[in-house]
Amino acid sequence: MTAVADLMDYAEVVERYDPVLGLEVHVELNTNTKMFCGCPNLFGGEPNTHVCPTCLGLPGALPVVNGTAVESAIRIGLALNCEIAQWCRFARKNYFYPDMPKNFQTSQYDEPIAFDGHLDVVLDDGEVVRVGIERAHMEEDTGKSLHVGGATGRIHGAEHSLLDYNRAGVPLIEIVTRPIVGMGERAPEVARAYVTALRDLLRAMHVSDVRMDQGSLRCDANVSLMPKGTEEFGTRTETKNVNSLRSVERAVRYEMTRQAAVLAAGGDIVQETRHFQEADGTTSAGRVKETAEDYRYFPEPDLVPIAPSREWVEQLRTTLPELPWERRRRIQQEWGLTDEELRDLVNTGAADLVAATVEEGATPSEARSWWVQYLNQQASGREVELAALPITPAQVARVIALVNSGELTNKLAREVVQGVLAGEGEPDDVVEKRGLKVVSDDSALITAVDEALAAQPDVADKIRGGKVQAAGAIVGAVMKATKGQADAKRVRELVLERVGA
Ligand SMILES: [Zn+2]
């Protein structure tokens, strides 16, 4: 292992240097079959069961392009405001690596299917940053190596390695930004916000399941620094396969502090790939980065060029769903939210859940209050995302309906939600099993009121004598006797009625 790197204090970094970012996101498409063969495109499975001569690169096997993957690529390009190529080809990217049995990756080089776009990204405080998209191109995924016997799961120190080609040939779209400059201290946040916006967009389009934890969305973060007042980009490093949104932000920030320390000490940044360590938030050196020439790209001779007609492109444009930011704008207007309320909704990841709860019959403010406040606290307590809580919008809507009909108080409603979260079934089941219904039967309440009055005759006399505020003690006793399941307002009415006040 290398020695722990010197780091510069972040405040000093942004005072002395301007960061330049370049983000490359790989997204696996959720097509039924792989990019160039008919093998199933499924995550996992017994190793080497989703393979055939084409994706294993056996001699004589010929590829055929997956039409649905091309369609998804064009739709992604359109959603990213890109131009769609009139004509483009695949290219061979030549390199040897055991998880790539063909010894080349079928990719696109100087003729990407989509180019010159942008994505507007909203930061935590509402500021909008436009990130330029240089290109989005089609390629295939590689297989996976499993290194056995080493401590870290990396090849270093391993006794042997196993290969699984199930992932080889899975359709990928690589989305590359233009250099992102001028972000200063907010650069790490911009990186996270960009990947978040891209994930939300791709999810809304149903082109990928965008699971960073499973690798169906992966981000490589290029970072370099230039001394303030200069305009020439510094040497960059590329931190590979950062696998959570939070890690994207941490990796960029770490690289900025590490590179600044190297530069300030008079050193040079090595152009290399780096690995991000989740555990301590640091990066470590990988291989020295190849340049494009090293890959000896040439046009793929086994595949015909792709020339999407303008009619087809325009037809695909009509299939784009309401994009996440358009939807947010609409929701804000329809629900009458302030900018701050909208931001809370977005930052807690509650927008879709609230919308779905409203569709189930709740009002926006009721639905918002449950998801943004109580349920968000529950999610934080369990350290999961809001959407991962085991409760559905329909169940939340049902709880709200029970409160509105007077069958539950707010306090009881929270208990019902706890029951649903604990796996006790639907809200009505929890009400039944836990016996949580509000006691609205007057005869049961009258009995409880009479008992409480009999137990505190002096209080009863006071009320009778006109000290109406003394009724509170009786109401309290009744609420206690009914375990809080009575409507306090109704109890108070009954108390006054029974004493004849
Ligand atoms: Zn295959």
Side-chain angles (χ1 to χ4, degrees):
M1 293 300 290
T2 48
V4 177
D6 286 333
L7 303 176
M8 185 184 283
D9 178 66
Y10 192 70
E12 192 184 345
V13 175
V14 295
E15 204 173 290
R16 295 177 58 179
Y17 299 97
D18 285 321
V20 180
L21 301 181
L23 299 166
E24 296 172 19
V25 169
H26 285 88
V27 57
E28 283 181 352
L29 298 178
N30 59 0
T31 51
N32 294 327
T33 55
K34 290 186 180 180
M35 188 74 202
F36 301 113
C37 62
C39 289
N41 172 18
L42 295 170
F43 177 77
E46 275 292 294
N48 300 308
T49 52
H50 309 151
V51 292
C52 74
T54 300
C55 55
L56 287 177
L58 300 187
L62 288 171
V64 177
V65 174
N66 182 332
T68 308
V70 176
E71 199 172 285
S72 293
I74 294 173
R75 293 177 73 231
I76 291 170
L78 291 171
L80 293 171
N81 306 291
C82 288
E83 301 283 320
I84 304 301
Q86 304 267 359
W87 192 92
C88 67
R89 283 182 295 190
F90 285 97
R92 288 190 181 183
K93 181 179 183 180
N94 296 281
Y95 65 101
F96 174 81
Y97 205 72
D99 63 14
M100 206 179 53
K102 297 192 296 188
N103 285 344
F104 62 85
Q105 180 187 30
T106 307
S107 181
Q108 293 194 293
Y109 180 45
D110 51 353
E111 298 163 304
I113 188 149
F115 50 92
D116 277 350
H118 64 260
L119 179 62
D120 287 334
V121 172
V122 186
L123 303 185
D124 288 347
D125 68 354
E127 188 187 331
V128 178
V129 171
R130 175 160 290 189
V131 174
I133 304 292
E134 185 177 296
R135 56 189 280 151
H137 70 250
M138 299 180 284
E139 59 184 35
E140 58 180 335
D141 213 340
T142 60
K144 274 183 186 167
S145 308
L146 180 68
H147 305 298
V148 183
T152 58
R154 297 198 186 282
I155 196 164
H156 183 78
E159 285 162 7
H160 61 275
S161 298
L162 298 170
L163 291 160
D164 175 7
Y165 293 117
N166 282 353
R167 202 180 65 176
V170 163
L172 280 184
I173 305 296
E174 179 174 344
I175 300 161
V176 182
T177 66
R178 292 192 185 289
I180 303 168
V181 295
M183 294 300 128
E185 63 174 341
R186 301 195 81 172
E189 182 193 347
V190 170
R192 172 175 51 78
Y194 167 75
V195 181
T196 307
L198 196 53
R199 181 196 62 172
D200 292 349
L201 170 64
L202 297 168
R203 183 186 281 151
M205 294 175 68
H206 302 293
V207 289
S208 168
D209 59 8
V210 289
R211 292 276 302 265
M212 289 190 89
D213 57 332
Q214 291 187 352
S216 54
L217 184 78
R218 313 195 281 268
C219 177
D220 300 339
N222 290 277
V223 178
S224 66
L225 295 179
M226 46 190 186
K228 284 257 179 200
T230 62
E231 286 185 358
E232 197 182 327
F233 292 176
T235 305
R236 66 193 158 90
T237 62
E238 181 182 6
T239 304
K240 301 288 283 186
N241 296 338
V242 186
N243 66 1
S244 77
L245 296 170
R246 188 166 160 261
S247 297
V248 171
E249 182 166 357
R250 290 170 79 205
V252 169
R253 192 181 169 103
Y254 180 84
E255 268 304 282
M256 286 169 64
T257 55
R258 187 191 67 84
Q259 291 185 15
V262 172
L263 294 172
D268 291 320
I269 301 301
V270 180
Q271 183 166 339
E272 63 189 356
T273 62
R274 297 184 68 86
H275 301 290
F276 181 68
Q277 264 71 247
E278 284 288 336
D280 60 2
T282 64
T283 66
S284 61
R287 58 187 159 79
V288 172
K289 182 71 181 155
E290 294 84 355
T291 59
E293 293 80 55
D294 295 327
Y295 289 120
R296 295 165 293 118
Y297 281 98
F298 62 85
E300 167 59 58
D302 288 341
L303 288 166
V304 292
I306 292 176
S309 74
R310 294 302 98 176
E311 292 74 31
W312 189 34
V313 170
E314 289 316 307
Q315 191 268 321
L316 289 177
R317 198 189 295 277
T318 66
T319 71
L320 292 181
E322 186 180 25
L323 300 174
W325 46 92
E326 291 172 355
R327 182 150 170 273
R328 273 172 216 149
R329 208 175 301 137
R330 178 174 60 80
I331 281 175
Q332 182 174 20
Q333 280 175 356
E334 284 180 6
W335 298 353
L337 304 182
T338 64
D339 287 349
E340 199 184 356
E341 285 167 339
L342 180 70
R343 215 150 50 227
D344 285 346
L345 198 64
V346 172
N347 291 347
T348 52
D352 288 348
L353 296 161
V354 172
T357 308
V358 170
E359 270 166 37
E360 296 286 343
T363 66
S365 70
E366 291 164 340
R368 211 157 46 80
S369 137
W370 275 98
W371 285 107
V372 174
Q373 291 162 29
Y374 188 70
L375 289 166
N376 188 43
Q377 286 162 12
Q378 301 301 309
S380 310
R382 292 160 187 239
E383 297 190 345
V384 295
E385 284 189 34
L386 198 52
L389 276 182
I391 189 167
T392 64
Q395 289 169 330
V396 175
R398 177 62 187 152
V399 170
I400 292 169
L402 287 170
V403 173
N404 289 341
S405 68
E407 288 169 74
L408 291 179
T409 60
N410 280 321
K411 180 166 166 285
L412 292 176
R414 285 197 284 276
E415 255 191 79
V416 172
V417 166
Q418 282 299 337
V420 174
L421 292 174
E424 292 169 29
E426 293 297 318
D428 291 282
D429 301 334
V430 179
V431 168
E432 194 68 39
K433 281 185 212 155
R434 294 197 181 187
L436 295 177
K437 251 200 175 101
V438 167
V439 180
S440 54
D441 174 2
D442 272 3
S443 65
L445 287 180
I446 288 168
T447 308
V449 168
D450 286 349
E451 280 170 13
L453 288 169
Q456 302 185 64
D458 50 327
V459 180
D461 282 343
K462 274 189 197 166
I463 304 169
R464 229 173 257 121
K467 286 200 162 181
V468 177
Q469 63 272 34
I474 305 296
V475 173
V478 172
M479 293 305 288
K480 200 172 169 192
T482 56
K483 299 194 183 77
Q485 286 169 237
D487 174 1
K489 194 163 147 252
R490 180 65 191 142
V491 172
R492 191 181 169 79
E493 284 167 9
L494 287 172
V495 170
L496 298 180
E497 233 176 85
R498 298 304 283 174
V499 297

